[in-house]
């Protein structure tokens, strides 16, 4: 049997390879020698023959093939096992190595477990070979020693943790085996003796005879092969078998070493399950679901069936995690997975894609109902309350459906289309479903293009500011400006702020762009003042995300300092809804702005909360009447009453009032009669780029 302290010679011209192999082998208890060339290796082998040689093929001077040939043609060294090492992956390299006499072959980089297994098996087989040779000589010289030697051989085999079998090629019978073989297979020694290897395998005796003859001829597999052996109880044990042939007298003995790989197989299965199944729900994960969809599409194509891809996204699932915690949230997801499974036919598939999103594959055979029945079952079953400890909660889902072949014939496209439909359903409201349409895809594609272009625009600061004048109702003078963000999508032209601003908010980029706007406005005010123009107040729209961000106040302060302008020239406009976000933080932020001297106005007043409470609590300077009330202020008595009330309310709180969207003299006359302070709209000017604005201000006598 191989000695753990066996001496191994490493032959490689690369120092780091020698060092790595030395560490790996010495960690297993082996002693190592090293040579950097074939010539040096031959000298070392002659001086101190090792038990095994790890031989690199590609070396300067004498390559590995030449070294192996010299060793194998030398009777004194021919029995030393050789494992060829090479970074070459060609089959021809393996053939040449085996022809040169190498017993085994490993590709670089060497995997440690494989290296240890190959070394261990070859040392073990060498020990067997050495013993069989000496045993054969001893039989010829001293037959009386046979019994003693046989017992030693059996003791050596019994010390192995692997099952070992010796088979006589002539009669294909087991002639020796170790104790481990009996333990593994469940046979007694008497029961095993005389059995054929075919009795312990699914292979026929004819097939095994061919395999053994190939091994004897040196053409059999050089690496261990995976197979299974039959136990006494009829079960099969997965093993990795390494076979070697030895000549004894006129006969050949096949030595088989069977290593039990049950645990490795179980670990492989666990890894396979982890790689393809969701650990929480036990459902196929995204990768396996996609594979199943590809197979389903192939089957549907061959059978001329329809197929539906359905994506299911739970509505407001974050509320469950926030209310009861992630542990109970996971229990809900597991129950959702089971309920979805219960809704399906045996030919259908459900998988968990991500988070609270699931997906289904529905096979629709000819004559079967459309997928809507399954969708309705899903909606109904999800509405049933989920039990969470002593609590219960109902769930709803937004569902998207894409059909093969009408909506596409490729897996990725169908999943994408189903998601598009699902997102459309979610926009409509909770507990809805939608089928995919081409229009949805076009809209989704256009939005994706806008998102990509917007991200690039933020990086390049490819935005522009237009300015719309504010007019004093009392004397008609320009009393301020409103800065308005504009953007041209490359190749598409101007994009409405109503389209791209919400996208910036969804992408989390609105604060970055908002800070750029404030900085740019402060720079513009400073440029005008340095040019000797009179100061003019500029209002900037601010989103609730900007206020929530921690650097909102700091960015305003820095812009004012950098451009050395008085804070009262800057005005911040907020919508009513943004005031309600993170109220205490918003109040503190606005109070800080007021202390700095920055003015604050409420935009679109009348469309949101319109609460006296917040008007009293928040530090506000102005109210801006929403355009919706101004548009029909002269024709709709209700709008006129609302506008009149807002003006009176603001004045009673010492707030100024601005009316936006003024387009007719009649609207202006109404606002003037009712005491409105400022107006803006197309009656006076549309939003203008800087150069046109400066010309406008010069015409009005505001600029020189």
């Amino acid at each position: 049997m191989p000695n753990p302290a066996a001496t191994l010679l490493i032959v490689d011209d690369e120092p780091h390879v020698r060092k790595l192999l030395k560490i790996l082998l010495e960690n297993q208890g082996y002693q190592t020698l090293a040579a950097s060339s074939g010539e040096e290796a031959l000298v070392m082998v002659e001086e101190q023959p090792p038990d095994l040689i790890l031989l690199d093929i590609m070396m300067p001077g004498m390559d590995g093939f030449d070294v192996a040939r010299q060793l194998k043609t030398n009777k004194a060294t021919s029995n030393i096992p050789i494992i060829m090492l090479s970074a070459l992956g060609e089959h021809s390299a393996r053939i040449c190595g085996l022809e040169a006499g190498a017993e085994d072959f490993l590709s670089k980089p060497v995997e440690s477990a494989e290296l240890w297994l190959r070394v261990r098996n070859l040392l073990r087989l060498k020990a067997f070979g050495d013993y069989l040779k000496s045993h054969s000589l001893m039989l010829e010289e001293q037959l009386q020693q046979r019994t003693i030697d046989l017992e030693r051989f059996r003791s050596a085999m019994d010390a192995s943790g692997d099952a070992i079998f010796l088979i006589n090629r002539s009669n294909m019978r087991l002639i020796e085996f170790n104790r481990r073989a009996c333990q593994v297979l469940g046979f007694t020694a008497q029961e095993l003796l005389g059995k054929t290897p075919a009795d312990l395998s699914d292979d026929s005796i004819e097939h095994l005879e061919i395999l053994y003859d190939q091994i004897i001829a040196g053409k059999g597999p050089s690496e261990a092969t995976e197979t299974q052996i039959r136990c006494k109880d009829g079960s099969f044990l997965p093993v990795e078998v390494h076979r070697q042939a030895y000549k004894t007298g006129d006969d050949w003995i096949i030595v088989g070493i069977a290593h039990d790989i049950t645990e490795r197989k179980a670990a492989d299965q666990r890894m396979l399950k982890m790689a393809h199944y969701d650990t929480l729900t036990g459902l196929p994960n995204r990768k396996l679901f996609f594979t199943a969809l590809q197979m389903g599409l192939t089957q549907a194509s061959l059978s001329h069936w329809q197929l539906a891809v359905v994506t299911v996204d739970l509505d407001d699932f974050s509320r469950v995690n926030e209310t009861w915690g992630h542990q109970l949230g996971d229990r809900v997801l597991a129950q959702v997975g089971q309920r979805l499974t219960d809704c399906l036919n045996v030919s259908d598939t459900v998988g968990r894609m991500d988070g609270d999103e699931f997906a289904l594959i529905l096979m629709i055979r000819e004559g079967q109902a459309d997928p809507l029945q399954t969708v309705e079952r899903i909606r109904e079953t999800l509405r049933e309350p989920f039990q969470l400890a002593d609590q219960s909660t109902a769930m709803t889902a937004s569902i998207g459906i894409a059909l093969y072949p009408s909506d596409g014939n490729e897996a990725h496209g169908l999943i994408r289309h189903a998601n598009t439909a699902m997102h459309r359903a979610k926009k409509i409201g909770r507990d809805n479903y939608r089928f995919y349409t081409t229009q949805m895809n076009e809209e989704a594609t256009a939005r994706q293009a806008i998102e990509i272009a917007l991200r690039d625009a933020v990086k390049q600061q490819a935005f522009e500011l237009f300015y719309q004048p504010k007019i004093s109702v009392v004397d008609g003078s320009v009393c301020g400006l409103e800065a308005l963000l504009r953007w041209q999508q490359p190749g598409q032209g101007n994009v409405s702020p109503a389209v791209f601003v919400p996208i910036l908010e969804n992408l989390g980029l609105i604060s970055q762009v908002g800070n750029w706007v404030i900085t740019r406005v402060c720079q513009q005010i400073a440029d005008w003042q340095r040019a000797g123009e009179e100061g003019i107040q500029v209002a900037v729209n601010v989103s609730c995300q900007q206020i929530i961000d921690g650097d909102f106040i700091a960015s305003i302060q820095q812009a004012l300092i950098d451009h050395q302008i008085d804070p009262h020239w800057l005005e911040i406009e907020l919508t009513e809804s943004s005031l309600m976000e993170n109220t205490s933080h918003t109040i503190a932020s606005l109070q800080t702005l007021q202390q700095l001297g920055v003015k604050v106005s409420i935009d679109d007043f009348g469309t949101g909360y319109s609460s006296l409470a917040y008007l009293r609590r928040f530090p506000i300077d102005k109210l801006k009447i929403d355009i919706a009330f101004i548009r029909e202020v002269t024709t709709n008595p209700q709008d006129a009453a609302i506008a009149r009330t807002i003006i009176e309310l603001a004045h009673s709180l010492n707030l100024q009032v601005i009316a936006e969207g003024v387009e007719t003299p009649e609207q202006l006359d109404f606002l003037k009669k009712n005491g409105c302070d400022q107006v803006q709209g197309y009656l006076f000017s549309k939003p203008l780029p800087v150069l046109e604005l400066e010309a406008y201000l010069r015409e009005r006598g505001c600029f020189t």
Side-chain angles (χ1 to χ4, degrees):
M1 296 301 295
N3 187 344
T7 300
L8 279 61
L9 174 60
I10 302 166
V11 186
D12 199 297
D13 62 316
E14 296 181 17
H16 72 277
V17 174
R18 297 198 300 272
K19 183 177 180 181
L20 174 61
L21 292 174
K22 176 181 174 69
I23 293 171
L24 291 175
L25 294 169
E26 290 183 352
N27 281 343
Q28 296 296 303
Y30 298 111
Q31 296 180 2
T32 62
L33 301 171
S36 60
S37 68
E39 294 83 354
E40 183 183 2
L42 292 175
V43 173
M44 294 182 69
V45 171
E46 184 176 357
E47 293 175 354
Q48 183 182 351
D51 295 295
L52 184 144
I53 300 173
L54 293 163
L55 179 59
D56 185 28
I57 292 178
M58 302 300 293
M59 295 185 294
M62 181 181 291
D63 64 16
F65 298 135
D66 290 336
V67 174
R69 290 188 190 98
Q70 289 202 29
L71 291 173
K72 291 302 180 179
T73 55
N74 186 340
K75 192 171 183 179
T77 58
S78 62
N79 67 328
I80 302 175
I82 297 175
I83 299 177
M84 284 286 193
L85 303 174
S86 176
L88 299 175
E90 291 85 3
H91 182 66
S92 60
R94 289 176 174 264
I95 297 300
C96 291
L98 296 174
E99 286 179 347
E103 278 76 9
D104 214 335
F105 193 97
L106 280 173
S107 297
K108 295 181 183 179
V110 176
E111 200 272 326
S112 58
E114 186 179 12
L115 171 67
W116 297 332
L117 181 62
R118 301 287 179 85
V119 168
R120 185 193 68 189
N121 285 342
L122 279 182
L123 287 174
R124 190 171 288 146
L125 290 171
K126 179 180 181 295
F128 291 147
D130 290 343
Y131 178 76
L132 287 172
K133 288 179 181 179
S134 63
H135 183 57
S136 179
L137 290 173
M138 291 166 68
L139 282 175
E140 295 174 9
E141 297 173 1
Q142 292 181 316
L143 293 176
Q144 66 270 25
Q145 294 295 323
R146 183 181 185 281
T147 303
I148 297 173
D149 293 338
L150 184 59
E151 286 302 319
R152 288 176 180 171
F153 179 52
R154 285 173 173 168
S155 297
M157 288 201 306
D158 286 341
S160 173
D162 295 331
I164 302 172
F165 304 91
L166 273 65
I167 302 157
N168 187 306
R169 170 62 188 89
S170 296
N171 59 17
M172 292 297 288
R173 297 281 175 179
L174 272 68
I175 59 173
E176 286 292 345
F177 40 82
N178 65 350
R179 187 182 297 115
R180 181 60 178 163
C182 295
Q183 293 171 346
V184 165
L185 299 180
F187 290 104
T188 65
Q190 200 64 34
E191 289 171 332
L192 268 183
L193 195 62
K195 284 187 178 294
T196 71
D199 294 331
L200 306 177
S201 169
D202 273 346
D203 292 324
S204 66
I205 195 74
E206 293 79 14
H207 175 81
L208 290 172
E209 286 176 342
I210 294 172
L211 174 62
Y212 293 168
D213 288 343
Q214 289 175 341
I215 294 172
I216 291 169
K219 298 179 180 178
S222 61
E223 302 177 354
T225 56
E226 283 192 17
T227 184
Q228 52 185 9
I229 52 178
R230 183 186 288 111
C231 301
K232 183 177 180 179
D233 62 5
S235 63
F236 283 91
L237 181 74
V239 293
E240 194 171 61
V241 177
H242 200 292
R243 297 182 178 95
Q244 196 80 12
Y246 292 96
K247 188 171 180 61
T248 173
D250 294 331
D251 211 343
W252 284 90
I253 302 297
I254 305 297
V255 178
I257 304 173
H259 178 65
D260 185 353
I261 57 173
T262 303
E263 291 186 5
R264 194 185 82 187
K265 284 289 187 182
D268 289 345
Q269 286 298 316
R270 288 193 296 271
M271 292 298 293
L272 184 65
K273 187 169 184 179
M274 290 175 62
H276 293 93
Y277 289 87
D278 174 52
T279 55
L280 176 62
T281 62
L283 298 176
N285 62 13
R286 181 185 293 274
K287 181 178 180 181
L288 183 57
F289 180 87
F290 177 74
T291 301
L293 178 54
Q294 288 179 310
M295 294 172 61
L297 288 170
T298 300
Q299 183 180 6
S301 175
L302 294 173
S303 305
H304 304 290
W305 296 342
Q306 276 192 309
L307 178 149
V309 175
V310 181
T311 54
V312 179
D313 188 82
L314 300 180
D315 295 324
D316 197 21
F317 181 74
S318 59
R319 174 181 54 83
V320 175
N321 284 331
E322 292 168 359
T323 305
W324 286 292
H326 287 275
Q327 186 175 5
L328 291 180
D330 286 349
R331 285 172 54 187
V332 170
L333 291 175
Q335 291 183 41
V336 168
Q338 185 57 55
R339 293 192 188 187
L340 291 176
T341 301
D342 293 341
C343 291
L344 302 185
N345 298 317
V346 292
S347 60
D348 300 333
T349 302
V350 58
R352 184 184 179 201
M353 304 300 279
D354 188 29
D356 60 343
E357 184 178 338
F358 297 81
L360 296 80
I361 304 168
L362 308 181
M363 304 300 295
I364 309 170
R365 296 175 176 82
E366 188 174 354
Q368 278 190 319
D370 63 36
L372 197 52
Q373 287 187 357
T374 302
V375 169
E376 290 297 349
R377 283 201 302 271
I378 291 171
R379 297 173 72 199
E380 185 175 346
T381 191
L382 290 180
R383 291 173 190 143
E384 291 294 324
F386 290 83
Q387 296 300 322
L388 300 176
D390 57 346
Q391 304 288 336
S392 68
T393 183
M395 295 299 302
T396 58
S398 299
I399 300 173
I401 309 157
L403 299 175
Y404 164 85
S406 57
D407 296 331
N409 55 13
E410 185 267 329
H412 283 297
L414 284 169
I415 293 174
R416 185 172 62 252
H417 292 166
N419 278 330
T420 300
M422 180 267 290
H423 288 301
R424 175 58 63 88
K426 191 172 284 290
K427 284 184 179 180
I428 297 170
R430 301 168 61 93
D431 198 15
N432 272 295
Y433 67 87
R434 282 293 179 270
F435 283 85
Y436 169 79
T437 66
T438 304
Q439 180 184 356
M440 288 182 188
N441 187 51
E442 291 173 352
E443 291 174 357
T445 302
R447 179 183 174 87
Q448 186 179 37
I450 289 179
E451 289 180 356
I452 293 171
L454 270 176
R455 289 183 187 277
D456 186 64
V458 172
K459 290 180 183 178
Q460 304 298 327
Q461 295 186 349
F463 296 97
E464 186 179 2
L465 290 181
F466 279 39
Y467 296 87
Q468 187 172 32
K470 296 179 181 180
I471 308 300
S472 170
V473 174
V474 175
D475 58 12
S477 63
V478 177
C479 57
L481 304 169
E482 180 180 4
L484 299 167
L485 189 63
R486 295 291 183 265
W487 175 58
Q488 283 193 351
Q489 183 180 359
Q492 300 294 324
N494 291 323
V495 181
S496 168
V499 173
F500 74 79
V501 169
I503 296 176
L504 285 173
E505 292 176 341
N506 289 335
L507 295 175
L509 299 173
I510 192 65
S511 293
Q512 186 176 345
V513 175
N515 291 341
W516 175 84
V517 171
I518 290 172
T519 300
R520 187 69 189 86
V521 164
C522 290
Q523 180 184 341
Q524 185 62 70
I525 294 172
D527 289 345
W528 285 333
Q529 291 181 352
R530 280 193 296 270
E533 305 297 349
E534 292 186 9
I536 188 166
Q537 192 177 72
V538 182
V540 176
N541 293 287
V542 172
S543 75
C544 61
Q545 286 186 22
Q546 281 179 267
I547 300 173
I548 294 172
D549 284 350
D551 63 347
F552 172 62
I553 298 297
S555 64
I556 293 178
Q557 289 177 307
Q558 193 61 50
L560 294 171
I561 293 171
D562 289 346
H563 299 288
Q564 298 181 344
I565 64 171
D566 194 297
H568 81 273
W569 295 118
L570 181 65
E571 180 180 324
I572 299 299
E573 287 191 5
L574 307 95
T575 62
E576 290 185 75
S577 58
S578 66
L579 289 175
M580 300 299 108
E581 298 284 342
N582 203 1
T583 306
S584 59
H585 176 75
T586 302
I587 292 175
S589 298
L590 296 184
Q591 287 174 341
T592 302
L593 288 177
Q594 191 178 56
Q595 292 167 5
L596 289 174
V598 176
K599 301 301 180 182
V600 179
S601 66
I602 304 303
D603 196 9
D604 302 335
F605 187 80
T607 61
Y609 295 88
S610 304
S611 166
L612 288 174
Y614 84 70
L615 287 178
R616 181 175 55 83
R617 291 173 59 198
F618 287 91
I620 300 168
D621 299 293
K622 300 177 184 178
L623 294 183
K624 179 178 282 189
I625 305 174
D626 187 72
I627 189 174
F629 303 116
I630 302 302
R631 190 175 292 116
E632 298 183 13
V633 74
T634 59
T635 58
N636 188 322
Q638 290 182 333
D639 286 351
I642 290 172
R644 197 178 294 115
T645 301
I646 292 173
I647 295 170
E648 293 174 358
L649 173 64
H651 287 167
S652 68
L653 296 173
N654 295 319
L655 303 177
Q656 287 190 312
V657 183
I658 309 169
E660 62 179 341
V662 178
E663 298 180 353
T664 68
E666 291 78 14
Q667 292 169 345
L668 176 62
D669 185 59
F670 172 88
L671 293 168
K672 185 181 296 185
K673 288 179 180 178
N674 286 279
C676 185
D677 301 295
Q678 299 175 12
V679 292
Q680 67 182 101
Y682 277 59
L683 178 62
F684 305 98
S685 175
K686 64 180 181 180
L688 301 170
V690 171
L691 293 179
E692 292 183 26
L693 171 71
E694 291 174 345
Y696 174 87
L697 293 176
R698 281 191 289 271
E699 289 177 5
R700 303 285 296 229
C702 301
F703 277 9
T704 57

